[in-house]
Amino acid sequence: LVLSGMHTQLDTGSVDAVHDLRTTTPTVQSLPNSDFCLYLYLLLVRTTMQATDVRPKVGVGVLIFRGTDVLVGCRKGSHGTGTYALPGGHLELGESFEQCAIREVEEETGIQIRDPAFAYAVNSVFNETTHYVTVFMRVDVDQGVEPKLMEPDKCEGWSWVPWDAIPEPVFLPLRALKDSPYRPFG
């Protein structure tokens, strides 16, 4: 692609239209003709980066124990749909594992936890474009604690089950944890 005579500066309207090409695609009509080549170039760069800049993501799974039972839910609406998993999610920029665990548990279950502790970490490659390092945090709660289904688009429901009786199929990172040397009670 040859970009001859391309403007190096954009007018204010063009800046607004192309400043966030990483996440949105402006309409071609919103760009002045003089900046159309720049738009195509930036779109090409974004597309190339998305296709080639595939890196592992960091997930945080939270082992919430009530006695010897652990809280699990059946996933829906994303990778791992139909599998049983722990509450958890993506680590946000600048967030500690503890902060992520506290936030995700409250967002997904309505349970407010305190002082989650590192339990284990696993490496899970789902396919050629989906790779996660999952950090598991552990917290124990009182017998009367009950979860609420806060995100019904992401989970079918929550239930307390014995650690050794988590229903199948199990979400890949949780399967890796169960197959690891990690033992929650000993």
Side-chain angles (χ1 to χ4, degrees), residues 23-36:
T23 57
T24 61
T25 303
T27 62
V28 173
Q29 293 83 5
S30 67
L31 294 173
N33 289 337
S34 61
D35 293 323
F36 184 69

Side-chain angles (χ1 to χ4, degrees), residues 13 17 20 36 38 44 49 54 60 78 87 104 110 116 119-121 151 156 159 162 167 177 183:
D20 198 21
F36 184 69
L38 180 59
L44 177 65
M49 286 180 63
V54 179
V60 174
S78 68
E104 288 287 352
Y120 206 79
E151 297 178 324
E156 291 182 16
S159 56
L177 178 66
R183 298 294 171 261

Side-chain angles (χ1 to χ4, degrees), residues 46-158:
R46 179 184 78 170
T47 303
T48 303
M49 286 180 63
Q50 287 175 342
T52 60
D53 193 25
V54 179
R55 297 175 189 214
K57 296 178 182 167
V58 178
V60 174
V62 187
L63 294 152
I64 305 175
F65 282 99
R66 189 176 73 175
T68 58
D69 290 343
V70 64
L71 186 64
V72 297
C74 188
R75 294 174 62 91
K76 66 182 197 182
S78 68
H79 68 281
T81 294
T83 62
Y84 287 87
L86 305 170
H90 293 104
L91 183 70
E92 300 294 335
L93 185 65
E95 192 173 46
S96 71
F97 300 144
E98 294 83 1
Q99 290 167 331
C100 181
I102 291 167
R103 176 183 55 77
E104 288 287 352
V105 167
E106 186 165 7
E107 286 175 4
E108 295 180 8
T109 71
I111 298 172
Q112 294 182 349
I113 61 171
R114 291 191 353 231
D115 302 321
F118 175 81
Y120 206 79
V122 299
N123 187 42
S124 302
V125 179
F126 290 82
N127 57 47
E128 60 278 349
T129 61
T130 308
H131 178 179
Y132 278 84
V133 173
T134 303
V135 176
F136 290 97
M137 303 296 286
R138 180 192 173 135
V139 66
D140 291 272
V141 296
D142 294 332
Q143 285 297 322
V145 172
E146 288 296 337
K148 297 176 189 143
L149 184 57
M150 306 296 285
E151 297 178 324
D153 56 320
K154 296 180 181 179
C155 180
E156 291 182 16
W158 298 106

